Amino acid sequence: MTGKRELSNLNNIVTPRLAGMIGISAVILFICSSLRHLLFQSHAFDLGIFDQAVYLISQELTPISTFMGYHILGDHAAYIWYPLALLYKIYPSIYWLFAVQALALSLGALPTWHLARQAGLTEKQAVTMALVYLLYPVVFNVNLFDFHPEVIALPTLLAAIWCARGKRFWWFCWSIIVILGCKAVLSLTVAAMGLWLLVFEKRRWCGILALILGISWFAIASGVIIPTFSGKEAAAVGRYSYLGDSVFDIAKGLLLKPGLILANLFNFSNLIYLLLLMLPIAWGISYSSTTPLIAAIPCIGLNLITDYQPQKDLVHQYSLPALPFLLLVVITTLAAGKGWIRSPKFIILWSLLTFLFLAKFTYFGSIYLKKLDAWQATHTAISLVKTKGSVLTTGAISSHLSHRQLIKLADSEQPLDELTQFDYILLDTRYPGFGNTPESASKMVNFLRSHADFNLEHEGNGIYLFHRK
């Protein structure tokens, strides 16, 4: 009897079918991100930055990213890197980040299922909603775009909503702490979620807590932590330069410059972005179920008013914080017996079709094979970097060599007389990377060939490795 009771309790948390879905998804996502990295399609921005920082923390060194030139907390005030570094203490490997990302993205199906059951949906409908989550294109696509800590916040946001609705206050508190530690801008989503919980969900204490912590952390992170550790404003400020050149000025501009906001709001790219965002769940959007979108306003609003195009697609990470609330809309619609598609079979079919249309799995048969002919030469050159000495290399190669205190990217502005500060220089003259050109890379190679302080360790398919004597 005890064994049956334990199995029943486990099934209340995760059913065998749901566990299988999550497990298969995690394996697929991990393989995809790892394969992309092995094909030299990852980059210093952002994978190399984060891998170097986590490695340095694990070695009890100051996590200064030499790609950016400042402490990792000056990037997005993300303290999640410190617990992640515990994995690197077991064994320092960039594949930990891929594993964490794949697991976090897949685990979002679990609180989605619980939210569906909590709303009164049947087991079959709840499983369908878990599949809707897993097949939402941005879940797959963001997994291919290096690594970003927001992926940890995604399932945690879903779990926080479930805890708030289920009156699990202390678990809700813990969820908020995790979310805020992933990226400073998520504090705006937390604050908006608090407002929604307070006014529309009648979850007073959870709403007040989220509202206060969200606003407070945004002020502390953007006003103190980021400037202190980076010496400048938050990285994304430049994307809203028409409103001001600081977080405070942008906030003021949002209130005092409505004409500028409207001019940047109503345009074709924003229309396409909203259509892409809503298309995977268009079958279940009803006006009476849209109150959860209040919590998505900071995320979607920031994406709409910027002129930075990567924030207006389903390829990058910028739309992730909106996904939990989009899912809540369709869960609420189904629970009310509404929606122009209500059959689980046809909902899954719709999700599958939009996934096939918008997910970037086709990259594995096209742009990800671009450097395949130089794969062996690049891999051999990397294997010849035997020490933790300083490295100058390309963006695509850098994330394979970021476990060191000094690594930088070669660019066309690099003074040749400064090359002697590096122990290893690994160049790709055919694909020199962002900020460099084949001509500039070839010029560096010719300079190093004739320099008495460097030995040419490896050459092949446009790949050159030099080692300082």
Side-chain angles (χ1 to χ4, degrees):
M1 288 295 291
T2 303
K4 288 183 179 179
R5 190 180 301 113
E6 289 175 353
L7 182 60
S8 176
N9 290 336
L10 182 61
N11 284 341
N12 287 332
I13 300 172
V14 55
T15 65
R17 181 188 298 181
L18 184 59
M21 287 164 50
I22 292 169
I24 292 169
S25 172
V27 170
I28 291 172
L29 293 179
F30 177 72
I31 290 172
C32 288
S33 58
S34 299
L35 181 57
R36 176 182 180 268
H37 179 65
L38 287 170
L39 290 170
F40 297 106
Q41 295 298 324
S42 53
H43 200 273
F45 292 84
D46 295 315
L47 184 60
I49 291 171
F50 298 151
D51 180 56
Q52 184 188 25
V54 178
Y55 170 76
L56 292 175
I57 292 170
S58 73
Q59 302 300 304
E60 300 181 9
L61 298 169
T62 304
I64 292 177
S65 166
T66 50
F67 296 112
M68 299 187 299
Y70 50 81
H71 196 288
I72 194 61
L73 287 178
D75 187 27
H76 294 293
Y79 50 79
I80 197 73
W81 301 120
Y82 286 86
L84 282 175
L86 296 175
L87 296 172
Y88 277 53
K89 280 188 172 292
I90 299 171
Y91 182 77
S93 172
I94 201 168
Y95 292 96
W96 280 119
L97 297 183
F98 299 142
V100 167
Q101 180 161 263
L103 188 59
L105 288 170
S106 300
L107 276 174
L110 181 58
T112 300
W113 181 88
H114 278 289
L115 284 166
R117 295 292 283 160
Q118 194 178 53
L121 300 189
T122 66
E123 165 65 20
K124 190 174 184 180
Q125 287 175 315
V127 170
T128 299
M129 285 309 307
L131 278 171
V132 168
Y133 165 84
L134 291 173
L135 290 172
Y136 193 89
V138 77
V139 172
F140 181 83
N141 291 343
V142 74
N143 182 67
L144 297 180
F145 182 43
D146 290 353
F147 174 90
H148 295 90
E150 295 97 311
V151 299
I152 299 171
L154 177 58
T156 314
L157 273 167
L158 287 160
I161 299 163
W162 176 64
C163 290
R165 285 182 164 180
K167 299 181 180 179
R168 299 173 178 86
F169 180 75
W170 293 111
W171 282 109
F172 177 82
C173 296
W174 175 246
S175 299
I176 296 302
I177 291 170
V178 173
I179 295 164
L180 294 176
C182 292
K183 196 173 185 178
V185 74
L186 289 171
S187 57
L188 297 177
T189 297
V190 168
M193 180 177 69
L195 180 64
W196 167 67
L197 288 172
L198 179 63
V199 177
F200 293 94
E201 293 288 303
K202 309 304 179 185
R203 297 292 185 263
R204 183 174 61 176
W205 293 114
C206 288
I208 291 172
L209 177 79
L211 194 57
I212 292 173
L213 288 183
I215 294 172
S216 301
W217 182 245
F218 181 76
I220 293 168
S222 60
V224 180
I225 295 176
I226 291 174
T228 298
F229 284 95
S230 70
K232 56 184 181 180
E233 288 286 334
V237 163
R239 301 173 191 173
Y240 308 92
S241 56
Y242 68 95
L243 291 172
D245 53 9
S246 70
V247 173
F248 176 75
D249 286 341
I250 291 170
K252 190 167 61 174
L254 288 171
L255 297 173
L256 303 179
K257 300 176 181 178
L260 280 177
I261 298 295
L262 292 174
N264 282 271
L265 199 57
F266 296 105
N267 55 59
F268 184 70
S269 62
N270 280 347
L271 175 62
I272 296 299
Y273 169 61
L274 290 174
L275 288 174
L276 291 175
L277 202 62
M278 301 300 176
L279 183 62
I281 47 109
W283 53 267
I285 299 175
S286 67
Y287 177 76
S288 60
S289 304
T290 54
T291 56
L293 292 182
I294 289 169
I297 287 174
C299 170
I300 297 175
L302 287 172
N303 293 341
L304 290 175
I305 65 174
T306 182
D307 54 6
Y308 183 60
Q309 198 56 40
Q311 286 187 222
K312 303 176 191 290
D313 60 35
L314 298 188
V315 177
H316 300 86
Q317 75 276 16
Y318 303 106
S319 296
L320 276 182
L323 180 54
F325 309 102
L326 294 172
L327 292 170
L328 280 177
V329 168
V330 293
I331 287 173
T332 306
T333 298
L334 278 180
K338 298 179 180 179
W340 55 279
I341 298 178
R342 292 193 290 273
S343 165
K345 180 167 49 176
F346 288 110
I347 290 172
I348 293 170
L349 179 61
W350 180 280
S351 294
L352 186 59
L353 288 173
T354 54
F355 177 86
L356 293 174
F357 179 60
L358 296 171
K360 303 305 179 184
F361 57 89
T362 54
Y363 284 179
F364 286 101
S366 55
I367 62 174
Y368 287 172
L369 301 180
K370 185 175 163 185
K371 304 174 185 175
L372 198 58
D373 57 338
W375 185 88
Q376 186 60 58
T378 310
H379 186 268
T380 300
I382 289 171
S383 69
L384 294 173
V385 179
K386 300 291 188 182
T387 73
K388 297 295 182 184
S390 54
V391 169
L392 180 75
T393 188
T394 70
I397 296 173
S398 63
S399 56
H400 294 259
L401 292 169
S402 41
H403 288 182
R404 61 197 67 245
Q405 285 187 279
L406 177 58
I407 180 169
K408 290 190 174 182
L409 301 184
D411 62 61
S412 57
E413 303 298 321
Q414 178 75 48
L416 296 179
D417 58 356
E418 292 183 4
L419 296 179
T420 53
Q421 68 178 296
F422 298 99
D423 297 308
Y424 295 95
I425 299 177
L426 176 49
L427 301 171
D428 184 341
T429 56
R430 294 196 303 166
Y431 306 105
F434 180 77
N436 207 355
T437 64
E439 294 75 21
S440 177
S442 296
K443 186 178 178 180
M444 286 186 196
V445 168
N446 293 332
F447 174 81
L448 293 166
R449 278 183 183 275
S450 61
H451 201 291
D453 288 345
F454 285 92
N455 284 330
L456 178 60
E457 296 286 319
H458 177 74
E459 175 185 356
N461 290 88
I463 304 297
Y464 295 86
L465 173 66
F466 293 91
H467 183 208
R468 187 159 56 90
K469 295 176 185 177

